Amino acid sequence: MTGAAFFITSDQFHCGVSLLVGGGPGRHRMLDPAGPQAGNIEWLYWVIFWILLVVFVLTIAGFARAAARTRTSATEMLPIVKDPEGDRRAHWAVGSAVAVTVLTLFAILVMSVITGKKVEGLTSQNPITIQVIGHQWWWEVIYPNAQADQTVTTANEIHVPVGKPIVLLTNSADVIHSFWAPSINGKRDLLPGYSSAFWIQIDQPGVYHGQCAEFCGLQHAHMGFSIVAESASAFAQWQERQLKPAPDPADPEPRRGRQVFLTHACLMCHTIRGTGAGSRFGPDLTHLASRSMIAAETLPNTRGALAGWIVDPQRIKPGNQMTPNPLEPDDLEALVSYLGTLN
Ligand code: HEC
Ligand SMILES: [Cu+2]
């Protein structure tokens, strides 16, 4: 199924998160589609909704009519009557109701299949390809290119150009996750060891929120992502910037911060291109400062939040795969200054 039957009004969710970050995490509504796939799913939702509403009204009307016509009281014994004519009418009524039900369900099945097919594939000769790999509990995002040095790697924030068909190649590094941005498309499971393709297209510029939709362990609820849909030129600029290695910081404080990064455990798990840190266990931090949130939409990307996260990520997101880093305060200050230069 396409996930069409799930309907979320996310106002409460919005409130909670906007309190946290001041802005809100972006559009997150199945009934507010921003592209052809979500549009098709919304169409199916409303078709089924109206059919069910008619069925509901007819059913209640039938009951009400039967109740109104029954003249016996509850205590009275019902007389046994032989009424072949009435039996025939009753058979006919029940038979045709069953036929109408089966036909309606069949029509819904056909429409579901058609919607599924439409959502399945956009035909495009040269779509943009983005690889999305689920991790407990964050999203690795790669824009592959035949030339290794033209490959962009980022986390949790997916940039796409507006109005362009995009193929998401999905996979998982550990357990089953599910990629779901309700304004964009239905859910797609990310299965370990199994790559599959998933089309999206976003026709309205904006920021869209998404969430892991398959329970994947302790921090499943803190596994959000965002999709930033922007003009082709803004996207090209973003991509160009992401391709650059991290610059050498000019000021002494961030220079020292880089030293802190490279002499502590950070480099065992993170990449910052342009430095010696090249591990892909955790998110690529080369352009960390260009992202608006950290830890899969758990915290805003501010100095304070970064410092808190680095010192004790386990208090913020218990069970996550980053180990605590009890740093001296001035080392931490310098490190956070350095991370702030990674835009
Ligand atoms: C044991 C591996 C490991 C070590 C060591 C480690 N990290 Fe991490 N880090 C991770 C993982 C995994 C995540 C993703 C956590 C999540 O969101 O669930 C992460 C997330 C982050 C993030 C948020 C990135 C984003 O875009 O969401 C920052 C910033 C970060 N780490 C900085 C550091 C710094 C600085 C150090 C060294 C002081 C460090 N990490 C040490 C594994 C590690
Ligand atoms: Cu998940």
Side-chain angles (χ1 to χ4, degrees):
M1 263 300 286
T2 52
F6 300 98
F7 164 46
I8 278 203
T9 42
S10 55
D11 294 340
Q12 273 181 318
F13 179 81
H14 267 290
C15 288
V17 180
S18 8
L19 278 178
L20 207 66
V21 296
R27 251 160 96 175
H28 181 100
R29 289 190 72 171
M30 204 213 94
L31 296 181
D32 185 13
Q37 288 87 9
N40 281 313
I41 293 171
E42 192 209 14
W43 174 84
L44 183 64
Y45 172 86
W46 285 118
V47 169
I48 295 178
F49 175 87
W50 288 115
I51 291 175
L52 296 190
L53 188 69
V54 169
V55 169
F56 176 77
V57 168
L58 288 179
T59 309
I60 296 299
F63 274 129
R65 183 158 168 267
R69 278 167 35 142
T70 303
R71 292 203 188 81
T72 48
S73 76
T75 48
E76 226 174 300
M77 283 284 276
L78 288 172
I80 295 172
V81 283
K82 275 202 176 323
D83 177 7
E85 177 57 26
D87 284 353
R88 206 171 26 250
R89 267 193 289 136
H91 281 153
W92 190 87
V94 171
S96 40
V98 169
V100 169
T101 304
V102 169
L103 283 176
T104 310
L105 286 176
F106 189 73
I108 290 179
L109 174 69
V110 170
M111 287 184 294
S112 295
V113 171
I114 292 174
T115 304
K117 285 264 171 271
K118 282 191 187 161
V119 166
E120 225 27 48
L122 291 171
T123 42
S124 169
Q125 296 301 319
N126 60 357
I128 289 177
T129 302
I130 305 175
Q131 218 179 327
V132 177
I133 304 167
H135 292 258
Q136 281 174 318
W137 290 276
W138 57 284
W139 310 84
E140 185 178 3
V141 180
I142 301 170
Y143 297 67
N145 193 293
Q147 278 170 273
D149 66 346
Q150 296 295 303
T151 297
V152 168
T153 304
T154 181
N156 307 324
E157 194 177 294
I158 305 171
H159 284 243
V160 301
V162 166
K164 268 267 230 183
I166 289 148
V167 180
L168 298 179
L169 297 178
T170 58
N171 210 323
S172 167
D174 35 52
V175 300
I176 302 178
H177 301 278
S178 188
F179 182 93
W180 191 32
S183 295
I184 308 301
N185 202 342
K187 299 170 183 170
R188 170 59 61 118
D189 282 1
L190 275 52
L191 307 172
Y194 180 82
S195 194
S196 71
F198 179 55
W199 288 83
I200 61 167
Q201 179 177 317
I202 304 178
D203 293 330
Q204 298 160 21
V207 180
Y208 300 89
H209 181 251
Q211 183 67 40
C212 182
E214 175 71 37
F215 181 70
C216 59
L218 201 56
Q219 290 299 335
H220 163 65
H222 288 143
M223 189 170 164
F225 61 92
S226 62
I227 307 182
V228 180
E230 56 202 0
S231 69
S233 61
F235 173 70
Q237 265 171 24
W238 174 82
Q239 206 169 20
E240 201 179 309
R241 230 178 50 189
Q242 297 284 316
L243 281 171
K244 296 206 172 105
D248 280 339
D251 298 335
E253 162 118 327
R255 282 185 90 82
R256 207 166 75 73
R258 182 174 60 175
Q259 215 41 43
V260 173
F261 189 92
L262 295 175
T263 52
H264 286 78
C266 323
L267 85 171
M268 310 276 286
C269 298
H270 292 287
T271 291
I272 297 182
R273 279 184 300 113
T275 73
S279 169
R280 285 186 49 192
F281 182 78
D284 188 309
L285 303 180
T286 311
H287 294 282
L288 173 72
S290 73
R291 306 201 271 270
S292 59
M293 296 190 76
I294 60 165
E297 310 258 292
T298 306
L299 292 174
N301 191 358
T302 59
R303 273 186 78 94
L306 269 176
W309 171 260
I310 290 167
V311 170
D312 197 357
Q314 294 302 322
R315 213 193 55 203
I316 292 162
K317 197 168 166 179
N320 91 83
Q321 314 271 345
M322 177 161 155
T323 44
N325 300 279
L327 296 170
E328 294 301 324
D330 49 343
D331 281 355
L332 183 61
E333 279 284 325
L335 176 59
V336 170
S337 296
Y338 171 55
L339 295 178
T341 67
L342 302 175
N343 49 22

Short mmCIF file of all heavy atoms in Angstrom, two decimals, residues 91-144:
data_model
loop_
_atom_site.label_atom_id
_atom_site.label_comp_id
_atom_site.label_asym_id
_atom_site.label_seq_id
_atom_site.Cartn_x
_atom_site.Cartn_y
_atom_site.Cartn_z
N HIS A 91 -34.42 -11.18 0.43
CA HIS A 91 -33.29 -11.80 -0.29
C HIS A 91 -32.73 -10.87 -1.34
O HIS A 91 -31.52 -10.72 -1.50
CB HIS A 91 -33.74 -13.12 -0.96
CG HIS A 91 -33.82 -14.25 0.01
ND1 HIS A 91 -34.67 -15.34 -0.16
CD2 HIS A 91 -33.19 -14.47 1.19
CE1 HIS A 91 -34.54 -16.16 0.87
NE2 HIS A 91 -33.65 -15.64 1.70
N TRP A 92 -33.63 -10.25 -2.04
CA TRP A 92 -33.21 -9.37 -3.13
C TRP A 92 -32.42 -8.19 -2.56
O TRP A 92 -31.35 -7.84 -3.06
CB TRP A 92 -34.46 -8.88 -3.88
CG TRP A 92 -34.09 -8.17 -5.14
CD1 TRP A 92 -33.87 -8.73 -6.36
CD2 TRP A 92 -33.89 -6.76 -5.29
NE1 TRP A 92 -33.52 -7.78 -7.26
CE2 TRP A 92 -33.53 -6.54 -6.63
CE3 TRP A 92 -33.98 -5.67 -4.42
CZ2 TRP A 92 -33.26 -5.28 -7.14
CZ3 TRP A 92 -33.71 -4.40 -4.91
CH2 TRP A 92 -33.36 -4.22 -6.26
N ALA A 93 -32.95 -7.63 -1.47
CA ALA A 93 -32.29 -6.46 -0.87
C ALA A 93 -30.89 -6.83 -0.38
O ALA A 93 -29.91 -6.13 -0.67
CB ALA A 93 -33.14 -5.92 0.27
N VAL A 94 -30.80 -7.96 0.36
CA VAL A 94 -29.48 -8.35 0.89
C VAL A 94 -28.53 -8.68 -0.26
O VAL A 94 -27.37 -8.25 -0.27
CB VAL A 94 -29.62 -9.56 1.85
CG1 VAL A 94 -28.24 -10.10 2.23
CG2 VAL A 94 -30.40 -9.15 3.09
N GLY A 95 -29.04 -9.42 -1.25
CA GLY A 95 -28.21 -9.79 -2.41
C GLY A 95 -27.66 -8.56 -3.12
O GLY A 95 -26.46 -8.47 -3.40
N SER A 96 -28.54 -7.57 -3.35
CA SER A 96 -28.02 -6.42 -4.09
C SER A 96 -27.09 -5.58 -3.23
O SER A 96 -26.11 -5.02 -3.73
CB SER A 96 -29.15 -5.56 -4.68
OG SER A 96 -30.20 -5.47 -3.77
N ALA A 97 -27.33 -5.53 -1.92
CA ALA A 97 -26.41 -4.79 -1.04
C ALA A 97 -25.02 -5.44 -1.07
O ALA A 97 -24.00 -4.75 -1.15
CB ALA A 97 -26.94 -4.75 0.39
N VAL A 98 -24.99 -6.80 -1.06
CA VAL A 98 -23.69 -7.49 -1.12
C VAL A 98 -23.01 -7.17 -2.45
O VAL A 98 -21.81 -6.86 -2.49
CB VAL A 98 -23.87 -9.02 -0.96
CG1 VAL A 98 -22.59 -9.76 -1.30
CG2 VAL A 98 -24.32 -9.35 0.46
N ALA A 99 -23.80 -7.20 -3.54
CA ALA A 99 -23.21 -6.94 -4.86
C ALA A 99 -22.63 -5.52 -4.91
O ALA A 99 -21.50 -5.31 -5.37
CB ALA A 99 -24.26 -7.13 -5.95
N VAL A 100 -23.39 -4.54 -4.40
CA VAL A 100 -22.91 -3.15 -4.43
C VAL A 100 -21.63 -3.03 -3.60
O VAL A 100 -20.66 -2.38 -4.00
CB VAL A 100 -24.00 -2.19 -3.89
CG1 VAL A 100 -23.42 -0.80 -3.65
CG2 VAL A 100 -25.16 -2.11 -4.87
N THR A 101 -21.60 -3.71 -2.43
CA THR A 101 -20.41 -3.65 -1.57
C THR A 101 -19.19 -4.21 -2.28
O THR A 101 -18.12 -3.59 -2.30
CB THR A 101 -20.67 -4.45 -0.27
OG1 THR A 101 -21.85 -3.93 0.34
CG2 THR A 101 -19.50 -4.33 0.69
N VAL A 102 -19.39 -5.40 -2.89
CA VAL A 102 -18.25 -6.04 -3.57
C VAL A 102 -17.77 -5.16 -4.72
O VAL A 102 -16.56 -4.92 -4.88
CB VAL A 102 -18.64 -7.44 -4.09
CG1 VAL A 102 -17.57 -8.00 -5.02
CG2 VAL A 102 -18.87 -8.38 -2.92
N LEU A 103 -18.71 -4.60 -5.49
CA LEU A 103 -18.32 -3.74 -6.62
C LEU A 103 -17.57 -2.51 -6.13
O LEU A 103 -16.56 -2.11 -6.71
CB LEU A 103 -19.55 -3.32 -7.42
CG LEU A 103 -20.12 -4.40 -8.34
CD1 LEU A 103 -21.40 -3.91 -9.02
CD2 LEU A 103 -19.09 -4.82 -9.39
N THR A 104 -18.08 -1.90 -5.03
CA THR A 104 -17.43 -0.70 -4.51
C THR A 104 -16.00 -1.03 -4.04
O THR A 104 -15.06 -0.31 -4.36
CB THR A 104 -18.23 -0.13 -3.31
OG1 THR A 104 -19.58 -0.02 -3.72
CG2 THR A 104 -17.70 1.21 -2.89
N LEU A 105 -15.87 -2.15 -3.30
CA LEU A 105 -14.53 -2.53 -2.83
C LEU A 105 -13.61 -2.80 -4.02
O LEU A 105 -12.44 -2.44 -4.00
CB LEU A 105 -14.62 -3.78 -1.93
CG LEU A 105 -15.18 -3.51 -0.54
CD1 LEU A 105 -15.32 -4.81 0.24
CD2 LEU A 105 -14.30 -2.53 0.23
N PHE A 106 -14.18 -3.41 -5.06
CA PHE A 106 -13.37 -3.70 -6.23
C PHE A 106 -12.92 -2.39 -6.89
O PHE A 106 -11.76 -2.25 -7.29
CB PHE A 106 -14.16 -4.57 -7.22
CG PHE A 106 -13.31 -5.07 -8.34
CD1 PHE A 106 -12.36 -6.07 -8.12
CD2 PHE A 106 -13.44 -4.52 -9.61
CE1 PHE A 106 -11.55 -6.50 -9.15
CE2 PHE A 106 -12.63 -4.96 -10.65
CZ PHE A 106 -11.68 -5.96 -10.42
N ALA A 107 -13.86 -1.43 -6.99
CA ALA A 107 -13.50 -0.14 -7.59
C ALA A 107 -12.38 0.53 -6.77
O ALA A 107 -11.42 1.09 -7.32
CB ALA A 107 -14.72 0.78 -7.65
N ILE A 108 -12.47 0.45 -5.43
CA ILE A 108 -11.42 1.05 -4.58
C ILE A 108 -10.10 0.33 -4.81
O ILE A 108 -9.04 0.96 -4.90
CB ILE A 108 -11.84 0.99 -3.09
CG1 ILE A 108 -13.00 1.96 -2.84
CG2 ILE A 108 -10.67 1.32 -2.17
CD1 ILE A 108 -13.52 1.96 -1.41
N LEU A 109 -10.19 -1.00 -4.96
CA LEU A 109 -8.95 -1.76 -5.22
C LEU A 109 -8.30 -1.28 -6.51
O LEU A 109 -7.10 -1.00 -6.55
CB LEU A 109 -9.28 -3.26 -5.32
CG LEU A 109 -8.11 -4.16 -5.73
CD1 LEU A 109 -7.07 -4.21 -4.62
CD2 LEU A 109 -8.58 -5.57 -6.07
N VAL A 110 -9.12 -1.15 -7.57
CA VAL A 110 -8.58 -0.71 -8.86
C VAL A 110 -7.95 0.67 -8.73
O VAL A 110 -6.83 0.92 -9.19
CB VAL A 110 -9.68 -0.72 -9.94
CG1 VAL A 110 -9.19 -0.04 -11.22
CG2 VAL A 110 -10.12 -2.15 -10.24
N MET A 111 -8.66 1.59 -8.04
CA MET A 111 -8.11 2.94 -7.89
C MET A 111 -6.83 2.94 -7.06
O MET A 111 -5.91 3.71 -7.34
CB MET A 111 -9.16 3.86 -7.27
CG MET A 111 -10.26 4.20 -8.27
SD MET A 111 -11.45 5.37 -7.64
CE MET A 111 -12.21 4.43 -6.35
N SER A 112 -6.76 2.06 -6.05
CA SER A 112 -5.54 1.97 -5.25
C SER A 112 -4.37 1.51 -6.11
O SER A 112 -3.27 2.04 -6.03
CB SER A 112 -5.70 0.97 -4.11
OG SER A 112 -6.64 1.41 -3.20
N VAL A 113 -4.66 0.50 -6.96
CA VAL A 113 -3.58 -0.03 -7.80
C VAL A 113 -3.12 1.04 -8.78
O VAL A 113 -1.92 1.28 -8.96
CB VAL A 113 -4.04 -1.30 -8.55
CG1 VAL A 113 -3.02 -1.71 -9.59
CG2 VAL A 113 -4.29 -2.43 -7.56
N ILE A 114 -4.09 1.77 -9.38
CA ILE A 114 -3.73 2.82 -10.34
C ILE A 114 -2.90 3.90 -9.64
O ILE A 114 -1.85 4.34 -10.13
CB ILE A 114 -4.98 3.44 -10.98
CG1 ILE A 114 -5.66 2.38 -11.89
CG2 ILE A 114 -4.62 4.67 -11.79
CD1 ILE A 114 -6.98 2.84 -12.46
N THR A 115 -3.35 4.31 -8.44
CA THR A 115 -2.60 5.33 -7.69
C THR A 115 -1.19 4.82 -7.38
O THR A 115 -0.21 5.54 -7.54
CB THR A 115 -3.33 5.69 -6.38
OG1 THR A 115 -4.65 6.10 -6.71
CG2 THR A 115 -2.63 6.81 -5.65
N GLY A 116 -1.12 3.55 -6.94
CA GLY A 116 0.19 2.96 -6.64
C GLY A 116 1.12 3.03 -7.85
O GLY A 116 2.28 3.40 -7.74
N LYS A 117 0.57 2.72 -9.03
CA LYS A 117 1.38 2.74 -10.25
C LYS A 117 1.85 4.16 -10.56
O LYS A 117 2.99 4.39 -10.93
CB LYS A 117 0.56 2.21 -11.44
CG LYS A 117 0.39 0.72 -11.43
CD LYS A 117 1.44 0.04 -12.31
CE LYS A 117 1.45 -1.47 -12.15
NZ LYS A 117 2.33 -1.95 -11.10
N LYS A 118 0.93 5.12 -10.41
CA LYS A 118 1.30 6.51 -10.70
C LYS A 118 2.39 7.00 -9.76
O LYS A 118 3.28 7.74 -10.15
CB LYS A 118 0.08 7.42 -10.54
CG LYS A 118 -0.89 7.38 -11.71
CD LYS A 118 -1.88 8.51 -11.54
CE LYS A 118 -2.98 8.46 -12.56
NZ LYS A 118 -4.13 9.26 -12.11
N VAL A 119 2.28 6.59 -8.49
CA VAL A 119 3.23 7.04 -7.48
C VAL A 119 4.59 6.36 -7.67
O VAL A 119 5.63 6.93 -7.40
CB VAL A 119 2.65 6.74 -6.09
CG1 VAL A 119 3.71 6.87 -5.02
CG2 VAL A 119 1.48 7.67 -5.80
N GLU A 120 4.51 5.13 -8.16
CA GLU A 120 5.69 4.28 -8.34
C GLU A 120 6.77 4.95 -9.20
O GLU A 120 7.92 5.02 -8.82
CB GLU A 120 5.20 3.04 -9.07
CG GLU A 120 5.60 1.66 -8.67
CD GLU A 120 5.99 1.40 -7.25
OE1 GLU A 120 5.30 1.79 -6.28
OE2 GLU A 120 7.03 0.78 -7.13
N GLY A 121 6.38 5.40 -10.38
CA GLY A 121 7.42 5.86 -11.28
C GLY A 121 7.08 7.11 -12.04
O GLY A 121 5.98 7.27 -12.55
N LEU A 122 8.04 8.04 -12.08
CA LEU A 122 7.95 9.16 -12.99
C LEU A 122 8.86 8.75 -14.13
O LEU A 122 9.87 8.13 -13.91
CB LEU A 122 8.55 10.41 -12.35
CG LEU A 122 7.83 11.02 -11.19
CD1 LEU A 122 8.69 12.10 -10.56
CD2 LEU A 122 6.54 11.65 -11.68
N THR A 123 8.45 9.05 -15.35
CA THR A 123 9.39 8.69 -16.40
C THR A 123 10.25 9.91 -16.70
O THR A 123 9.75 10.97 -17.02
CB THR A 123 8.65 8.23 -17.66
OG1 THR A 123 7.55 9.10 -17.84
CG2 THR A 123 8.16 6.81 -17.51
N SER A 124 11.53 9.72 -16.57
CA SER A 124 12.44 10.82 -16.83
C SER A 124 13.76 10.23 -17.30
O SER A 124 14.21 9.22 -16.78
CB SER A 124 12.65 11.65 -15.58
OG SER A 124 13.72 12.53 -15.77
N GLN A 125 14.36 10.87 -18.28
CA GLN A 125 15.61 10.34 -18.83
C GLN A 125 16.78 10.56 -17.89
O GLN A 125 17.55 9.68 -17.65
CB GLN A 125 15.90 11.01 -20.19
CG GLN A 125 14.87 10.70 -21.25
CD GLN A 125 14.77 9.19 -21.52
OE1 GLN A 125 15.78 8.51 -21.58
NE2 GLN A 125 13.56 8.69 -21.68
N ASN A 126 16.88 11.78 -17.36
CA ASN A 126 18.02 12.00 -16.46
C ASN A 126 17.57 12.65 -15.15
O ASN A 126 17.71 13.85 -14.95
CB ASN A 126 19.13 12.80 -17.14
CG ASN A 126 18.65 14.16 -17.58
OD1 ASN A 126 17.47 14.47 -17.41
ND2 ASN A 126 19.53 15.00 -18.07
N PRO A 127 17.04 11.82 -14.27
CA PRO A 127 16.63 12.34 -12.97
C PRO A 127 17.86 12.60 -12.11
O PRO A 127 18.96 12.15 -12.42
CB PRO A 127 15.82 11.19 -12.39
CG PRO A 127 16.43 9.97 -12.99
CD PRO A 127 16.88 10.36 -14.36
N ILE A 128 17.65 13.32 -11.03
CA ILE A 128 18.71 13.48 -10.03
C ILE A 128 18.65 12.27 -9.11
O ILE A 128 17.57 11.88 -8.68
CB ILE A 128 18.48 14.78 -9.25
CG1 ILE A 128 18.78 15.94 -10.18
CG2 ILE A 128 19.32 14.84 -8.00
CD1 ILE A 128 18.52 17.28 -9.57
N THR A 129 19.80 11.69 -8.84
CA THR A 129 19.83 10.51 -7.99
C THR A 129 20.39 10.87 -6.62
O THR A 129 21.43 11.52 -6.53
CB THR A 129 20.69 9.42 -8.64
OG1 THR A 129 20.14 9.13 -9.92
CG2 THR A 129 20.69 8.16 -7.80
N ILE A 130 19.69 10.46 -5.60
CA ILE A 130 20.15 10.70 -4.23
C ILE A 130 20.06 9.39 -3.47
O ILE A 130 19.03 8.72 -3.52
CB ILE A 130 19.30 11.77 -3.52
CG1 ILE A 130 19.25 13.06 -4.34
CG2 ILE A 130 19.84 12.04 -2.12
CD1 ILE A 130 18.32 14.12 -3.76
N GLN A 131 21.14 9.05 -2.80
CA GLN A 131 21.14 7.82 -2.02
C GLN A 131 20.80 8.16 -0.58
O GLN A 131 21.39 9.08 -0.01
CB GLN A 131 22.55 7.24 -2.08
CG GLN A 131 22.62 5.75 -2.16
CD GLN A 131 24.08 5.32 -2.23
OE1 GLN A 131 24.91 6.02 -2.80
NE2 GLN A 131 24.36 4.18 -1.64
N VAL A 132 19.82 7.45 -0.02
CA VAL A 132 19.44 7.70 1.38
C VAL A 132 19.66 6.40 2.16
O VAL A 132 19.06 5.38 1.84
CB VAL A 132 17.96 8.12 1.49
CG1 VAL A 132 17.57 8.29 2.95
CG2 VAL A 132 17.71 9.41 0.73
N ILE A 133 20.54 6.47 3.14
CA ILE A 133 20.84 5.26 3.93
C ILE A 133 20.39 5.49 5.36
O ILE A 133 20.82 6.44 6.01
CB ILE A 133 22.35 4.94 3.89
CG1 ILE A 133 22.80 4.80 2.42
CG2 ILE A 133 22.66 3.66 4.67
CD1 ILE A 133 24.30 4.79 2.26
N GLY A 134 19.50 4.63 5.84
CA GLY A 134 19.02 4.76 7.21
C GLY A 134 20.03 4.20 8.19
O GLY A 134 20.63 3.15 7.95
N HIS A 135 20.28 4.93 9.28
CA HIS A 135 21.13 4.45 10.37
C HIS A 135 20.33 4.62 11.65
O HIS A 135 19.52 5.53 11.76
CB HIS A 135 22.39 5.32 10.51
CG HIS A 135 23.37 5.20 9.37
ND1 HIS A 135 24.51 4.46 9.45
CD2 HIS A 135 23.37 5.77 8.14
CE1 HIS A 135 25.18 4.57 8.31
NE2 HIS A 135 24.52 5.36 7.49
N GLN A 136 20.63 3.81 12.66
CA GLN A 136 20.08 4.08 13.98
C GLN A 136 20.88 5.26 14.53
O GLN A 136 22.07 5.10 14.84
CB GLN A 136 20.24 2.87 14.88
CG GLN A 136 19.19 1.80 14.60
CD GLN A 136 19.46 0.54 15.40
OE1 GLN A 136 20.62 0.11 15.52
NE2 GLN A 136 18.44 -0.08 15.92
N TRP A 137 20.45 6.51 14.65
CA TRP A 137 19.13 7.00 14.29
C TRP A 137 19.29 8.29 13.54
O TRP A 137 19.01 9.37 14.04
CB TRP A 137 18.27 7.19 15.54
CG TRP A 137 17.89 5.86 16.14
CD1 TRP A 137 16.84 5.08 15.74
CD2 TRP A 137 18.51 5.15 17.19
NE1 TRP A 137 16.79 3.92 16.50
CE2 TRP A 137 17.82 3.93 17.41
CE3 TRP A 137 19.64 5.37 17.99
CZ2 TRP A 137 18.18 2.98 18.36
CZ3 TRP A 137 19.99 4.42 18.94
CH2 TRP A 137 19.25 3.24 19.10
N TRP A 138 19.81 8.17 12.34
CA TRP A 138 20.01 9.36 11.49
C TRP A 138 20.03 8.90 10.04
O TRP A 138 20.04 7.71 9.75
CB TRP A 138 21.31 10.08 11.87
CG TRP A 138 22.55 9.23 11.80
CD1 TRP A 138 22.95 8.28 12.69
CD2 TRP A 138 23.53 9.22 10.76
NE1 TRP A 138 24.11 7.69 12.28
CE2 TRP A 138 24.50 8.25 11.11
CE3 TRP A 138 23.70 9.94 9.58
CZ2 TRP A 138 25.61 7.98 10.30
CZ3 TRP A 138 24.80 9.68 8.79
CH2 TRP A 138 25.75 8.71 9.15
N TRP A 139 19.99 9.87 9.13
CA TRP A 139 19.90 9.58 7.70
C TRP A 139 21.17 10.04 7.00
O TRP A 139 21.52 11.22 7.07
CB TRP A 139 18.71 10.32 7.07
CG TRP A 139 17.43 10.13 7.80
CD1 TRP A 139 16.99 10.85 8.88
CD2 TRP A 139 16.40 9.18 7.53
NE1 TRP A 139 15.76 10.39 9.29
CE2 TRP A 139 15.37 9.36 8.48
CE3 TRP A 139 16.24 8.17 6.56
CZ2 TRP A 139 14.20 8.60 8.50
CZ3 TRP A 139 15.09 7.41 6.59
CH2 TRP A 139 14.09 7.62 7.55
N GLU A 140 21.84 9.12 6.35
CA GLU A 140 23.00 9.49 5.53
C GLU A 140 22.49 9.80 4.13
O GLU A 140 21.68 9.06 3.59
CB GLU A 140 23.98 8.30 5.50
CG GLU A 140 25.28 8.60 4.80
CD GLU A 140 26.24 7.41 4.84
OE1 GLU A 140 25.87 6.33 5.37
OE2 GLU A 140 27.36 7.56 4.32
N VAL A 141 22.94 10.92 3.58
CA VAL A 141 22.44 11.37 2.28
C VAL A 141 23.62 11.57 1.33
O VAL A 141 24.52 12.36 1.63
CB VAL A 141 21.66 12.68 2.45
CG1 VAL A 141 21.13 13.16 1.11
CG2 VAL A 141 20.53 12.52 3.45
N ILE A 142 23.60 10.85 0.21
CA ILE A 142 24.74 10.92 -0.72
C ILE A 142 24.23 11.27 -2.11
O ILE A 142 23.23 10.72 -2.57
CB ILE A 142 25.47 9.56 -0.77
CG1 ILE A 142 25.98 9.19 0.63
CG2 ILE A 142 26.63 9.59 -1.76
CD1 ILE A 142 26.52 7.77 0.74
N TYR A 143 24.89 12.22 -2.76
CA TYR A 143 24.59 12.56 -4.15
C TYR A 143 25.72 11.94 -4.97
O TYR A 143 26.77 12.55 -5.13
CB TYR A 143 24.55 14.07 -4.34
CG TYR A 143 23.45 14.76 -3.56
CD1 TYR A 143 23.47 14.79 -2.17
CD2 TYR A 143 22.38 15.36 -4.21
CE1 TYR A 143 22.46 15.39 -1.45
CE2 TYR A 143 21.36 15.98 -3.50
CZ TYR A 143 21.41 15.99 -2.13
OH TYR A 143 20.40 16.59 -1.41
N PRO A 144 25.50 10.70 -5.46
CA PRO A 144 26.62 9.99 -6.06
C PRO A 144 27.03 10.60 -7.40
O PRO A 144 26.21 11.21 -8.10
CB PRO A 144 26.09 8.57 -6.25
CG PRO A 144 24.62 8.66 -6.14
CD PRO A 144 24.26 9.95 -5.50
#
